[in-house]
Amino acid sequence: MNKSKQPTIIDVASEAGVSIATVSNVINRRKVPMAPETIRKVEEAVVRLGYRRNVMATNLSRRRSYELGLIIPHFGGYYGRFAENLEQKVHHFGYHLSIFSAAGMDPEIEQRHLEHLLQRRVDGLVSHGLAMSMQSTQQLVGEGTPLVIFNGWGWPNEIVKMAVNLDFAKASSEAVQHFLENGCRSVIYAGRSKGMGANEQRIQGFMAGLSGRGESTVHALLDAGELGIEGTLDEALRLSGDLRPIGIYTFNDALALELLALCHERGISVPGEIQLIGMDNEFFSKSSYPSITSFEMPVDLQTSLVAAFLMRQIGEELDEENTQLLEEYLPRVTGHELFIDLEMIVRKSSGK
């Protein structure tokens, strides 16, 4: 072969001693029966020859890019884990995942992401409910791009065909019930209004957990973003008066950890005087002192469902495992929203 010439799929087939169709199946990770030895020979031939498929030409011929887009609010914590898990799930189907951060909902950056996704003609899009505006999302859907939203509550059906949401409302209600069962006489929610829909879901569940107990239990909704950590603790103490212990449920574990550190600084006993419950079960939650009660985010299940729903929209054939997964969870869909339960991990901050 002429070394100055870019190797072709024909060259790879000849080098590996297999058919062109077999090379195509290996490169595109199609789910067809192939011996491990055959796959190895093709992959080694690709490396030896330095073959790179012409993505744009391939897209034009099969009208599919095998590229997906994911837009998340930022790359930290739960969102980073979600992106990594989803990347693994769609790789199983032979797709590449391009990941974008909403960068604090910056309209200019959002528009650049949108233009890039449209230019790349991605086969499908996954977006967090807070990562893109409804207008931008509707533009993508109008272009015919299959879409699955995660943690997007109340999106209109004409934009979103499927939203796979964590049930923060149910978990928040469970947090309140846990405090009450542990003897808390005052229950506070320390939220983040910038969390928008996610914060609203927590408030909804918090109030539901107090149903029938609201008049007899001191309770309040505080915005830690406005009050700051010290202001939040001061207000919780002021509202609770002499009632102890105080149960404080926080928007996330980071906020719970900040409150815990401030309690230590002021000599306030946790869980004696204040009990804490966070959300998202970050790695530091079990390592703090005392360890923080939190809710495990079922990222693996959520990304599996998101990938399966998206592949079905795109028209990919699902394997037995994904087919069974959808058969199990489809009956739980209400309208176009599927809610996934979170598991409370009880630790010492709530009086374990």
Side-chain angles (χ1 to χ4, degrees):
M1 187 188 76
N2 185 351
K3 294 295 182 181
S4 64
K5 177 186 174 185
Q6 187 71 19
T8 68
I9 192 171
I10 299 173
D11 298 323
V12 175
S14 176
E15 179 77 10
V18 299
S19 68
I20 296 173
T22 297
V23 174
S24 178
N25 287 336
V26 172
I27 292 173
N28 294 306
R29 302 183 185 279
R30 296 195 181 98
K31 298 181 182 65
V32 296
M34 287 184 288
E37 177 65 15
T38 300
I39 297 173
R40 184 188 64 78
K41 287 195 296 185
V42 172
E43 290 177 342
E44 288 180 353
V46 166
V47 172
R48 282 197 301 272
L49 298 178
Y51 170 77
R52 286 185 176 275
R53 59 179 177 159
N54 187 330
V55 177
M56 296 306 294
T58 304
N59 293 348
L60 290 172
S61 66
R62 67 187 177 195
R63 297 184 181 276
R64 188 170 290 184
S65 67
Y66 283 90
E67 182 176 357
L68 306 173
L70 168 64
I71 304 181
I72 52 181
H74 56 80
F75 292 111
Y78 157 72
Y79 300 116
R81 298 196 300 272
F82 185 97
E84 185 174 342
N85 272 262
L86 185 62
E87 186 174 41
Q88 294 170 357
K89 298 298 189 305
V90 301
H91 174 76
H92 171 76
F93 289 95
Y95 283 77
H96 171 262
L97 185 67
S98 295
I99 305 167
F100 303 88
S101 164
M105 295 294 285
D106 184 310
E108 184 177 340
I109 293 178
E110 178 185 324
Q111 186 60 35
R112 289 183 64 184
H113 290 340
L114 178 63
E115 290 173 358
H116 178 83
L117 290 166
L118 290 172
Q119 288 172 3
R120 293 291 296 174
R121 298 184 181 276
V122 293
D123 294 325
L125 176 68
V126 177
S127 177
H128 186 276
L130 304 179
M132 284 189 73
S133 67
M134 288 190 185
Q135 181 180 3
S136 293
T137 308
Q138 191 166 26
Q139 185 176 343
L140 275 169
V141 173
E143 292 283 338
T145 306
L147 168 71
V148 174
I149 291 287
F150 71 103
N151 296 351
W153 301 272
W155 280 59
N157 188 60
E158 60 267 22
I159 298 179
V160 177
K161 301 305 178 186
M162 179 56 63
V164 182
N165 303 329
L166 298 182
D167 201 339
F168 289 132
K170 183 178 179 181
S172 301
S173 179
E174 291 175 3
V176 172
Q177 292 299 318
H178 184 77
F179 282 142
L180 297 177
E181 291 168 4
N182 277 6
C184 291
R185 302 168 65 195
S186 175
V187 183
I188 308 292
Y189 171 58
R192 299 271 194 200
S193 58
K194 288 185 178 180
M196 295 186 285
N199 192 60
E200 292 169 5
Q201 288 294 307
R202 288 163 169 79
I203 291 174
Q204 177 184 319
F206 179 86
M207 298 307 297
L210 288 165
S211 179
R213 300 285 296 271
E215 294 182 2
S216 60
T217 303
V218 173
H219 61 278
L221 305 172
L222 305 179
D223 188 343
E226 292 183 0
L227 295 171
I229 299 303
E230 292 199 4
T232 298
L233 182 56
D234 288 341
E235 188 66 4
L237 292 169
R238 185 189 70 79
L239 291 169
S240 302
D242 295 330
L243 299 177
R244 297 292 186 276
I246 305 169
I248 303 181
Y249 168 53
T250 62
F251 180 81
N252 56 21
D253 286 356
L255 181 51
L257 185 64
E258 290 184 271
L259 284 169
L260 178 60
L262 185 57
C263 285
H264 286 327
E265 182 181 324
R266 294 188 179 185
I268 298 173
S269 171
V270 178
E273 298 176 74
I274 289 180
Q275 295 183 19
L276 291 169
I277 297 179
M279 172 66 74
D280 60 24
N281 198 32
E282 289 288 0
F283 70 93
F284 55 77
S285 302
K286 64 180 179 181
S287 303
S288 63
Y289 183 80
S291 53
I292 298 172
T293 294
S294 187
F295 286 89
E296 176 66 30
M297 309 282 256
V299 176
D300 187 69
L301 173 60
Q302 190 179 27
T303 52
S304 292
L305 286 164
V306 166
F309 280 123
L310 187 61
M311 289 300 114
R312 190 180 67 164
Q313 282 191 47
I314 291 172
E316 288 285 352
E317 183 179 348
L318 300 182
D319 57 20
E320 184 178 355
E321 180 180 353
N322 283 283
T323 299
Q324 290 177 350
L325 183 68
L326 291 191
E327 288 177 352
E328 178 183 354
Y329 280 90
L330 273 173
R332 307 182 193 184
V333 175
T334 302
H336 61 278
E337 293 185 90
L338 172 64
F339 288 90
I340 305 174
D341 291 342
L342 289 79
E343 178 188 2
M344 182 186 289
I345 310 298
V346 181
R347 299 192 178 103
K348 293 181 179 180
S349 71
S350 64
K352 180 180 178 182

